[in-house]
Structures are given as C-alpha cells and as structure tokens.
Amino acid sequence: MPIKKRTKKPVTKKHARKPATLEIVHPIHDLSIRLGDHSLSPFVINLQSTVPTPEEIMNEGARINLNFLFNFPQQKPKTQNPTPSLELQPSDIIEQLREEQFFSKQERWILPKFPLFSPLSALPSFSSKLSSPVPSDTFAPKPIPEDIFSYFDIPEEEAGEVKEIGEAEESELVELNGTEVERVSFGFSFRPIGAFILISFIFVLPLHAMNVVSQLRQTKTEVEDASKSAFSYLQQGADATLVNETEGADFAFSKASQHFSNAKQTISELGLGTSFLLSALPSTNKNFNSVNSLIKAGDELATAGSRISEALDSLSQEVDPTPVSRIRILQSYLRSALPHLTKANQELKKIKSDVIPENEREVFVETKNRLPALINSLSEFETLSDVAANILGENGTKRYLLVFQNNTEIRPTGGFMGSFAEIKVRNGILEQLNVPTGGTYDLQGSLTRSLVAPKPLQLLKARWEFQDANWFPDFPTSARQMMEFYNDAGGPSVDGVIAVNATYVAKLIGLLGPIEMADYDRVIDEENFIFETQKIVEVEYDKEENRPKQFIGDLAPKLIERALESEPEVFLSLIDNLGNGLTQKDIQMYFADDSLQKVVLNNNWGGTILPTTGDYLMVVDTNLGGGKTDGVIKERVDLDVAIQKDGATINTVIISRTHQGIPGLVFSGVNNVDYLRLYVPKGSELISASGFQIPNENLFEKPNQEWEIDDDLQFASLGEKKDEDSGTDIYEENGKTVFGNWVQTAPGITTQTKFSYRVPEIMFEKKSLFFPSTQSYSLTIQKQSGMIDRETSVTLSTLSQMKTIWQSHNLSQTIFDNKTDGFFGALFEETSDTTL
C-alpha cells in the first residue's frame, strides 16, 4: 500500500527557552549556588575551579563553592487520559521508550498502530526491528569516569530547539503482516532527569559534602594512627617469631590484627556513598584504594603471622614429639596461614609504591617482592610434608640404604661412596643404624657375582663392586645398581636409597652446632668436618683393627640425635635446609614404591637425567685415582651455540679446569685424574675434540673373561664407537648421546678441553595462518650433583635474517651457576629471507 509521510512540525514560540536567574547562598557553610543565563549549555553543572582539591579538603579551613548554571525549559502540560489506569495505552509505550541513554535519535522502533487495551499476553505477534543496528556497546556497563560529575553533563545540541516530551520528528505508515503500522522517530529529552539531579545536588549534596569533609578529616587521623600501631605490632610479632618468643609473637600479631580491624572499621563507617565519591574523584582514587588495600593486606598478614606463631607454640608444648608429629602439626597451621598470605599478596599487588611514605617504602617493596616466594614455599611444603611423613615411616617401619658421598672426590652422582648405613625408621624415630666399620669395602668379600667394571673404572679395579656402583649420572639407575650389589652381598631388601653429599653434612652441622667427639679428642664443626673426617678415616685409623669408617659410625648417631631433639625453631630451619638440599641435588632419593618415586621425580628430587625435546648439556666429571682434589678444582664451561639454516646447531663446548691445590699437600696436592663426559641430545654428531690426556693402556686392569657384563652397560655398548682423531668414546645412554675422554690436571695448572658437535633438527617451527612463522630454541643445562665450583657460560649466535622476539636471557652471554639446573630459551620470527 502507498506510504503516507508526515512532515516535521515546526517549533513554536511557546516551546522556546526563557532565561531565568536565581542565586542561593548558604549562610553557614559559605556555599553559593547560582542559576542563570550564560553562554554554556543551561544543563551543564559547572564546578570548574570553585571545588577544592581532595588534599585541600583534608586540611582544615577548606571551603566548598558549587556553581550550578542551568535553565529549565517550559513544557506543555499533558492532557489527562480518561482511560482506566490498568489499561496499556500507546502513550505508555511511548513513555517507556523515552530513554536516551539506551537509543540514539537515529534509531527507529516499529510500533503497532492499533489500540492496546488488552493485556500484554494477548497481544498479536508482530516483527520488531531497528532500522539501524543497535551499537554493540549499548548495553555494556559504563566505566566510572575520572570526573564523576561528567555523568550529568547534558549534550550541547539540546541548547537549540526544545521539543515536547513524546513529540515526533517524523513518522510514516507501512504495511507489516497485513496490518498498518506507524514507524515513528522520537526526539527524546534528557532534561527531566537532568533537572531532578540538579535539584538533588542543590539541596542534598552541599550538606552531605560538609559532613564528608568532617568525616574525612577525622578518619584520616584515625586510620593513620591505627595503621602505624598495627604495623608496629606486626613487626614485633615477626621479630618475636624469629627468636621463638611464641607468647610475645602471639600477643603482637593479635594486637596488629586488632588495630588493622579498627582501621578497616573506620573506613567502613564512612559509608558506601562516601567511599564511592572518594574512589571516583581522580585525586583521591589512588590514595583511597591503596590505603584500603594496605589495611586489608596488613590484616591478612597479621592473621597469617598468628597462625605461624601458634604452630611454634604447639610444637614446643607437644609431649613426646616425633619428627612425623611435628611435620603434621606444622603442616596443619601453615595450611591455614596460606589463604591469608595469598589474599595479602593480592591486595599488595593493587598498591603503588609511590603512595607509601618514603621512609616505609623499602620495607613495603621488600614485603611485596618476597611474599610470592613465601607462598610458593608453603605450597611446596604441603607436598614435601606428605612425602617426608611417608619416608619417615608414618605408616610402618621403613628400611633404607643411606649413602655418604664425598664430593671432594667427585663421582657421577655426587662423590665417592666411602661410607654407608642401613637404617630402619618409624615415625621419624631411628630404630636401627648399622654403619659398617670398613665402609663400602666391607661388601667386597660378600659379593657372589663378578661383574665387569665400566672401562674407565678399570683404571682402579677390573671388577665392578658396591663402592663404585654410582657410575651412572642418572641417580635412579645408579641406586638400583647399589641395591643389586647390596642384595648380592647378603643384605636385606630395602625400600630405597638416599644419597647425601659431604658438603651438605657440613652445612647440617653448621645448623645444629658443633659436635664433641671425645673419643677422638675433637670437636667437629662446619669448617673442619670434611678435612678431619678424611684424616681420621684415611690416615689416623687403627691399622690393626682396620676399622677406618668407625668415626662415621660414631658421628652419625650424635648428628641424628641432635636433629631429632632440636627446638621447634631449629626444626623449621632443618626443613628449610632439607628443601635446599633436594633442590640443589645435595640429597637424592630413590624408592621402590612407584607412587612415592613418582612424586620424587615430579619434584626433580631424584637426580634423573631429564628428558628434553630441545638442546641439552650435562657435563659429568668422574675422579678416578685423583685423590680428594675436586674440592680445589675451579671449572668453567663455555658453550657457544650457532644456529644453522637447516634448523640444526653447531655447538662448541670449552671446559677449563684450574687446580688450586698446593703440590704435596695431603689429600689435595696431587694430580686430578678425570674421566670427562658430555651428555648431549640423542643423535648429535661429534665434529672434533681436543685437549685430552689418556692414561697409558697398561695402567688399566684386565677383567676375567668369565665375568658377567651388567645389562645397563651391555645396552650402552651396543652402538659404542671411538673417534679416531681424539680417542673420544661415543655411545648412547639414558636417551642421550655421550662423548667421553680423559683430562689430567696438576696443582697450579689450568687445562682446557674442547668439543665441537652438530645437533640436528633442534629448532622447532610454529606456523600460523594469521601470524608470521616463528622458530624456537631451548636449552636445558643439568647440574651434576656434588660439583663444588663450576659455572657455565652460554652464547647463542643467530642468522642475520632472524629477528628475536623473545629471549629468557641475554643471547650474547649468560652465566649459570651450579646451584640448580638451568634453562635458556629464545623465540625468533622467520623472515622471507630465512629458510630454516
């Protein structure tokens, strides 16, 4: 049907705006409010320079002046509709659509053109759509503006024509589903809402603002006083905890929590409206939110401190404690403290350090930086405590081989196994400790099988025996070998093997305190433990009794007793010391229980050779006949990685070993004889090797042809070959390619060896339809347990066309210490000129 258009009605004079002027002066609060004609929109609240800054408000004597400039339009009175109030009229629909904040003037609603006197549920169906799409952000929540009063600014375009409420600009009739409907475009007006808000501000805000200023001034003082007192008590609680004054710590943390609660309550009493205004004003937003977060963080820290203090108190009051019971008590309290520390950390993240007073900023930054590490430590303790309780026999007696490795004579898993003990433990209480007086050599005559020793070990002995069982740098493999030798020698089955390095025992003595050994006329401490032990077991022992390891058997029970009877604060330090020992591989564990072993491997406590998909390097030194010289050897490993166009790398490893011992000095003044091995990615190809000094062949013992070859050695020898130019042994073991050769270093001398090899297909390409292709490189540097002084330098050389888009470390040179395993990685963007 034809469309009939209606023309826009002209604006008559009766709709025009008339000027009006009004001034209101508050006689008490010196508040002036002006309404009048001006050049701005008459519907804009003008605060400009008459409002003091928040800093001025917080100071006494500040005055507030509000200047409201607006003008109300005259509106045509509406005619009363005589229809019943419960009936829905077209005008009602129009009124409901008069919300300018939801729809712009260009948007059109299609409305039905028939009387709407029936209930809504009886309305006939019709199609409703917009002539132009609704913007995607129409219904999105609006962010709070930096200036909250900008919400009430009315668009300038309304300063022109004034329309009646509900007055249509234009309309047209269209046919829809066989029914004539009218498409209407409305000119909505925001003025009624704006007028209401303005009136509210005139009569309500000035009085409330005066009250807010008064409350703010009072709250500022109260919060500052409460916060200072709270943090003071928090510091006292921490200090008391460190010296195990549990009563003082409990009182201090309780007081801190009380003061933080007072400060939080003071802020809450300002009311939601005041808090909203404070957080919305730009000048106070950062300060208000930071203070609020600081109060919350302090409250959570105080609660966590109380939990830790209660843990110490419970440990000290326990009757007949055992290591397992102590672990469980500590676990319970620390678990309850963890959520509070986590919440405190979340609040501290919201605080900018520049809002903290300068004299307190250093403490704040330190707390903020150290708290995440503390949370991680407590989370790790959850796992460690469960494992420790299981290992210590919470569910029944456990039997282990406890192996002492002297890492001044380095071996693949940490050091030469001169002494060991068979122990039985239940609930952490030692039920049995058996230390053979002859050490590991006591098992030589009890072995029923004769195994051929690995070829380098034949420099010392052709028969493979218990004392040299830790030949493999993969600790689980070596531990199983120890258990096999022990069983073959008539020993009982054990639940696992725990290896401890000598340097770790020295640190443990330093923690527990000096131990008097009256029978040996010595006091053993951290500084002299290694030297005095070596002197007693190798030089001063009774040659007729031939019990060189008796000293270890006498010292071990005293050390264990000191640890079990330690005070609660020392017990906490022991747990921390144990964690460091596991992380730094001074303690390695292997268990026959698969579920327990899985936990050990997942936490990298088992000394296993890591499976990797990227580049890999593990340098393994093995002292064979070189005395106790590794305590005075300084080693540096320089690795240069050059990326090739085919995705491979050419790796060059230079190993420098400096002997800092004095010639002729007992234990350390002899030549260091080292069988050096490089474990690299499987399939790596040796290009060249140099700098070696191989012992004469006649120095090696010859094995009996009737002796057996161990399965692990047999498997490794299947693909073994020797580099003709350098004499380097090449074979595969534990999923890696191995290069091995000999290095001999005299006191005062530095030796240097060099390996160059190709690692194929080590670069990994990632392609995407939407982003440029990238190439990634990763390197794992695995630590050898027991190494005392080694550092590794890594340099990565790329192709000139490759663009680095991410790197974990400096590509030109990065130094890794030998405390833990290291990781190095980089991501490159592939350009059109680069083919990898």
Side-chain angles (χ1 to χ4, degrees), residues 221-252:
T221 303
E222 292 177 0
V223 170
E224 286 179 350
D225 292 344
S227 300
K228 289 178 181 178
S229 299
F231 281 106
S232 175
Y233 279 116
L234 193 62
Q235 182 64 48
Q236 292 178 31
D239 294 341
T241 301
L242 291 176
V243 296
N244 197 33
E245 293 181 4
T246 55
E247 292 185 4
D250 234 2
F251 173 78

Side-chain angles (χ1 to χ4, degrees), residues 404-419 470 500-507 526-535 537-538 549 552 586 621-635 657-661 665-674 745 784-789 818:
F404 302 99
Q405 300 186 128
N406 187 352
N407 51 326
T408 63
E409 184 180 351
I410 196 71
R411 287 297 174 91
T413 65
F416 176 67
M417 302 190 309
S419 303
N470 60 345
V500 182
N501 294 337
T503 48
Y504 177 81
V505 177
K507 294 176 183 177
E526 181 178 5
E527 298 297 327
N528 67 11
F529 165 71
I530 293 178
F531 180 78
E532 292 295 335
T533 301
Q534 289 177 166
K535 190 164 62 170
V537 303
E538 296 194 20
K549 309 300 181 180
I552 300 296
D586 282 328
D621 293 305
T622 305
N623 185 331
L624 299 174
K628 312 299 180 184
T629 53
D630 288 289
V632 292
I633 294 291
K634 181 178 178 63
E635 185 173 274
R657 293 172 59 84
T658 301
H659 196 319
Q660 298 175 322
L665 195 65
V666 64
F667 305 128
S668 62
V670 298
N671 287 359
N672 178 273
V673 182
D674 178 31
T745 309
Q784 179 187 5
S785 171
M787 282 300 298
I788 296 174
D789 191 352
N818 196 54

Side-chain angles (χ1 to χ4, degrees), residues 91-149:
S91 59
D92 295 330
I93 294 292
I94 294 173
E95 288 295 316
Q96 295 299 320
L97 296 177
R98 296 177 50 76
E99 293 294 334
E100 187 166 299
Q101 63 267 42
F102 291 109
F103 303 99
S104 64
K105 291 184 178 181
Q106 287 74 29
E107 294 165 347
R108 307 288 190 265
W109 279 93
I110 298 177
L111 301 176
K113 188 179 180 184
F114 46 75
L116 298 179
F117 300 123
S118 58
L120 286 177
S121 59
L123 289 176
S125 61
F126 61 92
S127 173
S128 176
K129 63 181 181 179
L130 295 173
S131 59
S132 60
V134 179
S136 60
D137 62 346
T138 298
F139 300 101
K142 303 300 181 181
I144 296 178
E146 291 189 356
D147 181 2
I148 188 173
F149 300 108

Side-chain angles (χ1 to χ4, degrees), residues 38 54 108 184 187 303 305 374 381 413 434 599 606 608 615 626 712 765 803 812:
H38 49 82
R108 307 288 190 265
V184 184
T303 303
L374 175 60
F381 178 76
T413 65
N434 178 27
V599 175
T608 185
D615 206 349
D712 290 322
E765 183 177 10
K803 178 183 178 182
S812 59

Side-chain angles (χ1 to χ4, degrees), residues 46-342:
N46 182 11
L47 298 178
Q48 291 187 356
S49 62
T50 60
V51 178
T53 66
E55 289 76 10
E56 293 172 340
I57 293 177
M58 298 302 295
N59 296 325
E60 295 292 340
R63 301 197 315 172
I64 296 181
N65 295 295
L66 303 179
N67 184 17
F68 294 92
L69 305 175
F70 65 94
N71 204 306
F72 289 105
Q74 295 182 356
Q75 297 185 6
K76 180 179 179 179
K78 295 178 181 285
T79 306
Q80 296 295 327
N81 195 327
T83 57
S85 60
L86 295 181
E87 293 182 351
L88 188 63
Q89 301 300 316
S91 59
D92 295 330
I93 294 292
I94 294 173
E95 288 295 316
Q96 295 299 320
L97 296 177
R98 296 177 50 76
E99 293 294 334
E100 187 166 299
Q101 63 267 42
F102 291 109
F103 303 99
S104 64
K105 291 184 178 181
Q106 287 74 29
E107 294 165 347
R108 307 288 190 265
W109 279 93
I110 298 177
L111 301 176
K113 188 179 180 184
F114 46 75
L116 298 179
F117 300 123
S118 58
L120 286 177
S121 59
L123 289 176
S125 61
F126 61 92
S127 173
S128 176
K129 63 181 181 179
L130 295 173
S131 59
S132 60
V134 179
S136 60
D137 62 346
T138 298
F139 300 101
K142 303 300 181 181
I144 296 178
E146 291 189 356
D147 181 2
I148 188 173
F149 300 108
S150 64
Y151 258 133
F152 310 127
D153 287 2
I154 299 175
E156 289 291 342
E157 60 186 35
E158 294 189 7
E161 300 177 351
V162 181
K163 306 176 182 63
E164 277 192 85
I165 298 175
E167 181 180 6
E169 289 182 350
E170 61 178 358
S171 63
E172 57 186 11
L173 296 175
V174 297
E175 182 178 350
L176 181 65
N177 296 333
T179 306
E180 256 192 13
V181 297
E182 183 179 17
R183 177 177 291 164
V184 184
S185 173
F186 292 96
F188 299 124
S189 174
F190 196 62
R191 294 172 184 171
I193 299 176
F196 171 77
I197 293 175
L198 289 171
I199 294 173
S200 299
F201 266 68
I202 291 173
F203 295 104
V204 179
L205 182 60
L207 300 178
H208 186 62
M210 295 301 100
N211 188 41
V212 166
V213 173
S214 176
Q215 290 184 56
L216 282 176
R217 288 168 179 163
Q218 179 181 358
T219 300
K220 177 185 177 183
T221 303
E222 292 177 0
V223 170
E224 286 179 350
D225 292 344
S227 300
K228 289 178 181 178
S229 299
F231 281 106
S232 175
Y233 279 116
L234 193 62
Q235 182 64 48
Q236 292 178 31
D239 294 341
T241 301
L242 291 176
V243 296
N244 197 33
E245 293 181 4
T246 55
E247 292 185 4
D250 234 2
F251 173 78
F253 283 126
S254 176
K255 280 291 189 181
S257 180
Q258 178 182 341
H259 282 280
F260 279 124
S261 297
N262 291 343
K264 188 164 57 175
Q265 180 65 22
T266 301
I267 291 179
S268 299
E269 288 174 354
L270 280 175
L272 293 176
T274 304
S275 299
F276 174 73
L277 288 175
L278 285 172
S279 60
L281 292 173
S283 301
T284 62
N285 183 19
K286 181 168 64 175
N287 292 337
F288 178 81
N289 290 334
S290 292
V291 169
N292 202 20
S293 294
L294 189 60
I295 295 297
K296 291 179 181 178
D299 192 17
E300 297 294 344
L301 288 174
T303 303
S306 295
R307 298 290 183 272
I308 296 173
S309 175
E310 291 167 4
L312 294 175
D313 189 45
S314 296
L315 289 175
S316 62
Q317 294 181 10
E318 187 184 12
V319 179
D320 296 329
T322 67
V324 170
S325 67
R326 284 183 164 186
I327 288 173
R328 290 308 188 190
I329 289 174
L330 193 59
Q331 181 187 37
S332 176
Y333 280 98
L334 294 184
R335 181 186 292 149
S336 68
L338 188 58
H340 297 285
L341 293 174
T342 302

Side-chain angles (χ1 to χ4, degrees), residues 305-506:
S306 295
R307 298 290 183 272
I308 296 173
S309 175
E310 291 167 4
L312 294 175
D313 189 45
S314 296
L315 289 175
S316 62
Q317 294 181 10
E318 187 184 12
V319 179
D320 296 329
T322 67
V324 170
S325 67
R326 284 183 164 186
I327 288 173
R328 290 308 188 190
I329 289 174
L330 193 59
Q331 181 187 37
S332 176
Y333 280 98
L334 294 184
R335 181 186 292 149
S336 68
L338 188 58
H340 297 285
L341 293 174
T342 302
K343 290 179 181 178
N345 187 48
Q346 293 170 350
E347 294 298 332
L348 289 178
K349 288 180 179 179
K350 302 176 184 178
I351 306 170
K352 301 297 184 181
S353 58
D354 57 356
V355 306
I356 304 297
E358 190 171 352
N359 58 333
E360 304 291 343
R361 195 171 299 165
E362 183 178 351
V363 176
F364 167 77
V365 172
E366 183 179 3
T367 302
K368 187 176 182 180
N369 293 338
R370 295 181 62 179
L371 191 54
L374 175 60
I375 293 172
N376 290 335
S377 297
L378 292 186
S379 299
E380 291 175 0
F381 178 76
E382 276 286 305
T383 302
L384 177 61
S385 58
D386 289 333
V387 174
N390 194 344
I391 293 172
L392 294 174
E394 182 180 40
N395 301 316
T397 300
K398 299 284 189 179
R399 179 185 280 112
Y400 303 109
L401 286 180
L402 181 61
V403 178
F404 302 99
Q405 300 186 128
N406 187 352
N407 51 326
T408 63
E409 184 180 351
I410 196 71
R411 287 297 174 91
T413 65
F416 176 67
M417 302 190 309
S419 303
F420 78 101
E422 178 193 325
I423 63 173
K424 291 174 65 177
V425 61
R426 182 181 178 86
N427 285 324
I429 302 298
L430 201 61
E431 294 182 342
Q432 177 184 324
L433 174 66
N434 178 27
V435 181
T437 57
T440 55
Y441 291 102
D442 274 5
L443 301 184
Q444 287 178 328
S446 304
L447 293 172
T448 61
R449 299 173 62 199
S450 294
L451 296 178
V452 177
K455 180 59 185 296
L457 273 174
Q458 294 174 19
L459 182 67
L460 303 178
K461 200 173 183 64
R463 188 189 187 204
W464 197 12
E465 297 170 342
F466 181 75
Q467 70 274 6
D468 297 318
N470 60 345
W471 172 253
F472 304 100
D474 181 71
F475 185 76
T477 306
S478 286
R480 288 191 294 267
Q481 195 68 49
M482 296 177 206
M483 294 168 66
E484 289 181 12
F485 278 125
Y486 191 64
N487 290 335
D488 184 52
S493 297
V494 295
D495 295 301
V497 178
I498 302 173
V500 182
N501 294 337
T503 48
Y504 177 81
V505 177

